[in-house]
Amino acid sequence: MIKTIVIGAGVMGASVAYRLAQAGAVVTVLEATRIGGGTSGISFAWTNAHKKPPKPYHDLNVAGMKAHAALAGEFGATPWRHGGGSLEWVAEPDRAAQRENIEQLRSWGYAAEWVTPPQLQELEPDIDPAAIGDAPVAFFPEEGWLDPVVYAHAMLSAARVRHGAKVICGARVVDLIMTGDRVTGVRVADGTRYEADTIVNCAGRWTNEATRDAGLHLPLAPTVGFLVFTPPVAANLSRVVRTTLINARPDGAGRLMLHWNPTDEGLAFNTPVSPSMPQARDLVQRARQLFPSIGKVEPEAVRIAVRPIPADHLSAIGPVPRTSGYYVAITHSGVTMSPFLGALVADEIIGGRQRTELADFRPARFFN
Ligand SMILES: Cc1cc2nc3c(=O)[nH]c(=O)nc-3n(C[C@H](O)[C@H](O)[C@H](O)COP(=O)(O)OP(=O)(O)OC[C@H]3O[C@@H](n4cnc5c(N)ncnc54)[C@H](O)[C@@H]3O)c2cc1C
């Protein structure tokens, strides 16, 4: 039996661990903090392949959406997954690009349509039509969002209970153990050593902290993401909306999760954040213009995280050159793609196949 170590218990590590264990590997997951305690726990988590060229990258995202849907057949209930599609309207200068995107998505067979004002009112009756004006509204019926920590926990529970995987939290990998050029294990912060035939690094933005060998480091181009949460409010939002005012989605018990790209750009990861900061209040005021029924409400919580983005913005999935036994699985849009990527990684490591879907996303492109 192939012995494997998965570093990290976010959506990627959980998906990889589940599929490895299901394929017959002996799996140990080493997680520095807690399940979902990294970027996965601070994600807008919109499942989409909405604007993700080139085509092979779009295809990976579509496959991720389908893999999420297929989990219903495997797990019965998938309470972490929410559908409902997504709505989008954009400012005047961006409308030509929006039309082009929709045409391209349709030509790729992706569900994308325009909705009329009465249809929109039926979908989201609490949106103020004045906030839309004359903007055309697009609807992407197959999109949705995820509760990533609930998902990661479900995958790891299944890996443990059904297939005997071990999940060890509080175990921070500080270095790889090498035997010649081969990676044969890892050392964690308390000095414990774990041995394996294959190590899969799913540590997200912390990928490079798991090895001191700079020659094995993956170049990253991380960005900061800032989320604001309202308390439970009087708005019956039931899907992702991306608008000229704010991006929003439900976050349980009547709360809204809010995101606004321009705000991200003004923040650094070490910016101290609090619900009373002007940026948080600004996002809630924007949400109020969209949903007047929420009333005068203050932010309840804010969270900031760093997106794990390989330097060319595409996924990095595969063996790391110069070694054997060492594989990385690092990507942005990991919430969308992880169930599919987990299956591909297991098929390569246990099934011994080279998955053509990953041909454009090999880490080797960074190591010439
Ligand atoms: C604001 C924001 C919005 C986003 N929106 C979307 C979206 O709409 N749709 C989408 O698909 N994606 C979105 N993303 C991206 C998505 O959240 C990430 O791609 C995904 O969560 C990455 O998952 P991961 O498992 O690779 O990383 P993580 O969730 O960060 O998991 C890595 C784990 O490794 C652990 N770890 C780190 N170092 C070590 C170590 N040395 N030893 C052991 N364990 C270690 C960490 O504690 C962590 O739990 C968004 C991200 C942000 C920040």
Side-chain angles (χ1 to χ4, degrees):
M1 286 222 273
I2 298 180
K3 267 180 92 176
T4 61
I5 289 170
V6 176
I7 306 174
V11 289
M12 282 301 301
S15 306
V16 167
Y18 172 54
R19 291 303 179 194
L20 281 173
Q22 189 186 42
V26 175
V27 178
T28 303
V29 180
L30 299 174
E31 162 55 51
T33 60
R34 62 181 170 90
I35 294 170
T39 306
S40 299
I42 308 179
S43 178
F44 195 68
W46 168 38
T47 48
N48 77 96
H50 183 95
K51 211 171 190 179
K52 296 190 176 169
K55 180 72 165 43
Y57 188 60
H58 167 87
D59 290 343
L60 277 189
N61 281 270
V62 170
M65 293 163 71
K66 288 185 178 157
H68 273 300
L71 286 174
E74 207 171 327
F75 282 77
T78 52
W80 53 84
R81 179 170 173 262
H82 309 274
S86 88
L87 290 162
E88 175 195 72
W89 65 93
V90 301
E92 225 299 306
D94 301 322
R95 289 184 194 160
Q98 184 195 33
R99 276 195 303 276
E100 261 171 46
N101 184 42
I102 285 173
E103 274 159 33
Q104 177 160 77
L105 287 172
R106 282 176 164 171
S107 76
W108 288 347
Y110 193 79
E113 52 201 65
W114 298 102
V115 291
T116 61
Q119 285 170 324
L120 177 78
Q121 277 301 295
E122 205 168 300
L123 288 169
E124 292 298 342
D126 287 325
I127 290 182
D128 182 357
I132 307 172
D134 63 355
V137 178
F139 181 49
F140 305 90
E142 287 168 8
E143 298 177 357
W145 82 95
L146 210 75
D147 297 320
V149 183
V150 183
Y151 166 76
H153 177 54
M155 294 306 111
L156 289 172
S157 297
R160 224 169 20 80
V161 174
R162 297 184 194 173
H163 305 297
K166 272 195 198 149
V167 181
I168 305 175
C169 289
R172 181 179 301 279
V173 174
V174 291
D175 209 359
L176 301 175
I177 299 168
M178 310 284 296
T179 307
D181 284 342
R182 183 164 186 83
V183 179
T184 53
V186 301
R187 194 160 52 77
V188 302
D190 69 4
T192 311
R193 294 157 70 98
Y194 294 86
E195 288 180 1
D197 304 302
T198 301
I199 285 86
V200 188
N201 187 333
C202 299
R205 61 168 285 228
W206 297 276
T207 300
N208 295 329
E209 291 179 19
T211 169
R212 292 189 183 163
D213 182 344
L216 300 181
H217 286 180
L218 189 73
L220 298 174
T223 60
V224 167
F226 177 65
L227 299 175
V228 175
F229 300 78
T230 69
V233 287
N236 258 337
L237 180 64
S238 41
R239 52 184 50 78
V240 172
V241 290
R242 298 169 50 262
T243 82
T244 48
L245 282 168
I246 191 76
N247 298 342
R249 69 159 174 85
D251 194 47
R255 290 183 180 80
L256 302 181
M257 180 190 286
L258 308 174
H259 178 246
W260 188 233
N261 274 324
T263 307
D264 286 355
E265 284 155 24
L267 299 171
F269 183 60
N270 56 4
T271 307
V273 296
S274 79
S276 60
M277 68 197 283
Q279 294 95 326
R281 290 190 149 144
D282 174 58
L283 263 64
V284 171
Q285 273 158 23
R286 289 172 166 279
R288 193 175 169 206
Q289 289 177 62
L290 194 60
F291 307 106
S293 59
I294 71 175
K296 218 168 162 1
V297 63
E298 293 293 327
E300 183 178 75
V302 293
R303 290 175 207 146
I304 191 163
V306 173
R307 299 177 180 90
I309 311 181
D312 60 5
H313 295 189
L314 300 174
S315 312
I317 315 287
V320 177
R322 279 192 39 221
T323 62
S324 57
Y326 183 45
Y327 198 102
V328 298
I330 306 300
T331 191
H332 182 47
S333 295
V335 172
T336 301
M337 290 187 279
S338 54
F340 184 60
L341 293 178
L344 295 186
V345 171
D347 199 27
E348 294 208 319
I349 292 174
I350 308 302
R353 281 174 280 273
Q354 286 275 311
R355 295 297 300 240
T356 51
E357 297 95 323
L358 294 176
D360 293 340
F361 307 104
R362 296 304 188 182
R365 69 189 187 275
F366 295 115
F367 291 89
N368 286 326

